[in-house]
Amino acid sequence: MHQINKPLAKRKLICALVSGLISTTAFAQSEPSLEITATGSQEAVQSILTPTKILQGGDELLNKLGTTLGATLANELGVSATGYGAGSSRPVIRGLEGARVQILQNGLSVGDVSNISQDHAVGNNMQNAHQVEVLRGAAALLYGSGSSGGLVNVVNDRILTNLPDRPTGAVNTSYETVNNGRAGALEVDGAFGSVAVHVDTAINNADDYRIPGYASQGGPNQEWSINPGEPQSVPYSGKLPNSYSNQNNLGVGVSYIGQNGYTGVSVERLNNNYGIPTPEGGSINQSQNRYDLQHQTRDPFAGFSSFKFSAANSNYNHTEFNNVGEAASLWKNIANEARFELAHNPIAGWKGAFGAQVSAASLNATEVGSGSYAIVPPTKTNSNALFWIEEGRWNSLQGNLGLRYNNVAQKPNLGTELVPEPVNTGGDTPAISIQNRNFNLLSYSAGGLWNFMQGHGAGVAYTVSQRAPSAQELYSYGAHESTATFDIGNSNLNKETSHNLEFNIQKTSGLVRAKASVYANKFNNYIYGYYTGAAIDNGGEEGNGFSVVTAQQAAATIKGIEGELTYNWQQHGVGGRIFGDASQGTFDAGGNLPLQPAPRLGAELAHQRNGWLTNATYIYSYQQNRLASWEIGPAPSYNLLNAGISYTEKIKDVNWTVYMNLKNLLNEQIRYATTPMAVRLFAPQPGRSLMVGLRGTF
């Protein structure tokens, strides 16, 4: 196996940034701090027992906004991302991804199939996002039991909860040099009597992006054996083929707002067409229709402060095309979800909420080439859940409790034929049986915080999270073009259980603030895809030579540490932040978990005054050589330097902001260790880029 040697990072740069932070603090202005509250749930969710990150609309979200959810959150504390080109990227939280990180839109599942495979894009458009929330621990139990990594909730405020007193909205347009990226977004809110109306639309078109050096890790002559017996190299330089992305969406919301609450509906259409930058090449054409209903009544009856009901229907599909533009597979998912949540008034120092949630999804993945067989048989997944969360305060002590029970039933079409033709999988592989499965899941969380002095606290939290295996993990049997694998499920998989213990300490007041956490997450029956070392031999048909990947389970543990120190952060004057995170997952029997993020250190500086905002971020990511036995490596270290400047001026009733963001200023080759080998070895992230844009709010 070829090893890549990379020069040591420019560590003096981070030292210079830290020194600059220390030396400039004397000139900063002191401003009152802002208290941020998550919008996706009750006050109990905003607990400092389990860290919660919120990116709010405005400068913070604008500066970090990417075309995908993963790109937007990639540099947050404890959060990294996958990198399947420009079109698909999901967040990775504390070394966990896929089904262990649930994606929500306005508190309900996004309804796509991005949790199945990294090449499947998340079914939302970030251009009109108002807020992005990361929830863990007891807060996460409000929405799901299997999110051992956490939950990400994207809030777009499409259903208005308050009547605007005048028409309001925003317009945003930008251009990016690295990929000839053109983006535009528009949203408008208005009211007609007691009826509020919201309209939003966005478009983002980008060509293949430029890369530093060569596409293939190790240079143009380096060959990698991703698929057994078929060494590959990608000698491209300049623009990376099949790294383009084109997406657009349209959303409309209408709500009736009364004195004690609101009722609203919304509809959205999303289209996304993007390339897959693997050696084989290809593309995915994605579309989704989504319908939402939300209702809230404040003070519904004695003893209760709020009743909330929400429901969503999404009809999702995407087609995967091979490198000559022929349709290779079709994925469909129809999802329905409904939930209610009842919040009670304080009782003996405790306040919280309880409720119920039901969901039903129908997944079908079919090969549309020769034979037209099922990759995943048509499967109905039904989930019924009850949840309860509480938080109490007694002088300097806080307590936090959460409980969730789920029943999950997987019901495949028992008459489906999985094997279309005799396929040689290159060795012994498990036989797939089509059978109904039923799982009872019990998840719970408890934590405590001691505020040992004003603005200082120390806490502990313990969370048990159980997850049912997905339909794809249970029943898949077929070629997956975009990952160049032949996936074989295991219908005998058991439920996965994680036991997470976390200790944290934090300073939450004053100009200087800090927080640090250390955690250990122990898994029973951790589900993962195992590369067997065999390849498909089907006589040159679709999928020939693809690596055989089987679903397996084992005991595993992820341990990690993260922390940050801020000075006057996100306030007027000079502010700064230094941070770092590291996590590593291992099998208890020996060896490393696949797709684990590399340790990182970083620093940020910002200055706000008189409408001007300037900022710079530097991140050093260490080399990741603690890989699974079947992974090729190492994933090289890199230095990421971003900077930005913006100016805001109010002209009549419109606040206009002109901005310029510089990304990857050092033009480094960036390859995420969290990305499968089929992309990491052949497709680095974009090179140096300049984005200019104009945003107006009224």
Side-chain angles (χ1 to χ4, degrees), residues 11-56:
R11 302 190 185 185
K12 291 183 179 180
L13 183 55
I14 191 171
C15 295
L17 285 171
V18 175
S19 298
L21 166 62
I22 297 173
S23 63
T24 55
T25 53
F27 300 96
Q29 294 181 349
S30 174
E31 296 288 341
S33 63
L34 291 175
E35 194 69 31
I36 301 174
T37 303
T39 61
S41 54
Q42 303 297 325
E43 181 183 351
V45 170
Q46 188 58 24
S47 168
I48 50 181
L49 303 179
T50 50
T52 299
K53 174 63 184 178
I54 300 176
L55 289 181
Q56 282 194 315

Side-chain angles (χ1 to χ4, degrees), residues 609-654:
R609 183 169 296 170
N610 299 328
W612 289 93
L613 170 62
T614 56
N615 62 84
T617 302
Y618 171 74
I619 293 177
Y620 174 65
S621 178
Y622 287 83
Q623 176 180 278
Q624 178 58 288
N625 52 21
R626 301 184 65 181
L627 306 174
S629 59
W630 58 88
E631 291 183 293
I632 298 174
S637 63
Y638 62 82
N639 301 273
L640 176 62
L641 179 62
N642 297 333
I645 184 171
S646 66
Y647 177 72
T648 300
E649 179 78 21
K650 186 171 185 179
I651 302 176
K652 293 186 177 179
D653 293 328
V654 181

Side-chain angles (χ1 to χ4, degrees), residues 492-537:
N492 296 315
L493 291 174
N494 296 314
K495 62 185 177 184
E496 178 183 280
T497 303
S498 74
H499 300 259
N500 186 77
L501 180 62
E502 176 179 346
F503 297 92
N504 62 71
I505 188 168
Q506 53 197 324
K507 181 180 183 297
T508 58
S509 62
L511 288 177
V512 177
R513 303 187 182 192
K515 61 181 179 181
S517 299
V518 58
Y519 58 89
N521 202 349
K522 184 173 179 59
F523 286 85
N524 298 330
N525 297 319
Y526 182 91
I527 303 172
Y528 65 100
Y530 173 69
Y531 282 69
T532 65
I536 290 298
D537 179 10

